[in-house]
Amino acid sequence: MLGLAFAILISVGIPIMSFLYACKKRRLIPFLLGMVAFVVSQVMLRIPLLNFLGRNSTDYIFFSLSHPFLFAIFLGLTAGLFEETARFVAMRFFMKQLEWQSGFLFGTGHGGIEALIFVGIPVLKYAFTATFNPFEAPFFIGGVERFFAIILHIGLSIIVLQAVVQRKIVYVLVAILIHTVVNAGIVGILPLYISADDAVVVIEVVLAVVALSVFSYTIWIKRKGIFE
């Protein structure tokens, strides 16, 4: 039950608390833009496109089965391209508040809606079903993964915001590269070379290290006064 509660706290609680905090700080637009950027780039564009290819393209299916390493890189790259491009467009053309805090809330909106859609809502549905078994699903691991994923989204959002503020597209490319490496490694590459028993721990550790490193960088650039 503690694992279930933790997963709900992270994947439902953080988005709600972030929303309330954004309202209090009068930074609701950056938060909402982060949500929209994820929904448009992933839910409306990338995921339907990949599903379409999976149903209709024999070349795509053959590639995914015969070249799992390259396919993992492909999935990671598409995630990076779609999401980081959406971040940049949203910030560049629709976000007027370009302070570090706005980038932070953009990231919580982006990562929060992802956590809510893919973990929060399914977990809540599962918890209220008649067949609920708290020991059946790895709730705690799901909560840990979403926590560090949100931190990573915050870091990537601030890096893209740096690109907008300094007018240097190279930072968008950096965000795409980081996103690609994380997604490709976690989703496809690490499980190819690590046993199933060890994969969960290794994947979460790698995600945590990358997420905290990226976020630490954003703290550093904040202290340098880049967003002032």
Side-chain angles (χ1 to χ4, degrees):
M1 294 299 292
L2 289 177
L4 174 66
F6 180 73
I8 294 175
L9 174 64
I10 298 300
S11 57
V12 179
I14 287 182
I16 292 175
M17 290 185 291
S18 299
F19 171 78
L20 295 175
Y21 181 77
C23 292
K24 179 180 179 181
K25 294 296 182 179
R26 299 183 180 181
R27 295 291 186 277
L28 184 59
I29 295 300
F31 179 82
L32 295 178
L33 284 174
M35 295 176 61
V36 170
F38 178 80
V39 171
V40 171
S41 63
Q42 284 282 17
V43 179
M44 297 178 63
L45 295 177
R46 178 177 175 268
I47 293 175
L49 177 59
L50 293 180
N51 289 339
F52 175 81
L53 292 174
R55 292 192 303 266
N56 299 281
S57 173
T58 55
D59 290 337
Y60 178 84
I61 297 171
F62 178 77
F63 176 63
S64 67
L65 296 175
S66 59
H67 299 88
F69 186 93
L70 294 178
F71 185 67
I73 295 176
F74 168 77
L75 292 179
L77 179 60
T78 56
L81 284 171
F82 275 75
E83 289 191 55
E84 303 314 321
T85 300
R87 278 191 237 265
F88 178 77
V89 171
M91 291 178 179
R92 174 65 178 82
F93 298 103
F94 300 101
M95 196 167 87
K96 304 303 181 182
Q97 299 165 308
L98 301 179
E99 306 90 349
W100 188 93
Q101 187 179 59
S102 297
F104 180 93
L105 288 169
F106 186 105
T108 59
H110 194 105
I113 193 64
E114 180 185 43
L116 186 62
I117 291 173
F118 294 123
V119 177
I121 293 176
V123 167
L124 287 175
K125 288 182 178 179
Y126 185 79
F128 288 101
T129 60
T131 58
F132 166 65
N133 180 353
F135 301 102
E136 184 177 331
F139 296 114
F140 182 76
I141 294 298
V144 170
E145 179 178 313
R146 284 304 96 199
F147 175 75
F148 287 113
I150 291 173
I151 291 178
L152 179 62
H153 280 302
I154 292 171
L156 292 174
S157 296
I158 295 173
I159 289 176
V160 174
L161 181 60
Q162 183 180 4
V164 174
V165 171
Q166 296 190 316
R167 299 183 182 275
K168 294 182 178 179
I169 199 68
V170 64
Y171 292 112
V172 178
L173 300 179
V174 169
I176 292 173
L177 177 62
I178 294 171
H179 203 138
T180 299
V181 170
V182 171
N183 273 44
I186 289 176
V187 175
I189 295 176
L190 286 178
L192 294 176
Y193 301 101
I194 302 175
S195 66
D197 293 335
D198 298 330
V200 173
V201 175
V202 173
I203 286 171
E204 298 309 320
V205 170
V206 171
L207 175 59
V209 170
V210 175
L212 293 174
S213 297
V214 173
F215 186 73
S216 296
Y217 167 76
T218 67
I219 296 294
W220 179 72
I221 62 175
K222 177 187 179 182
R223 291 175 176 174
K224 289 188 67 177
I226 289 176
F227 299 103
E228 295 179 355

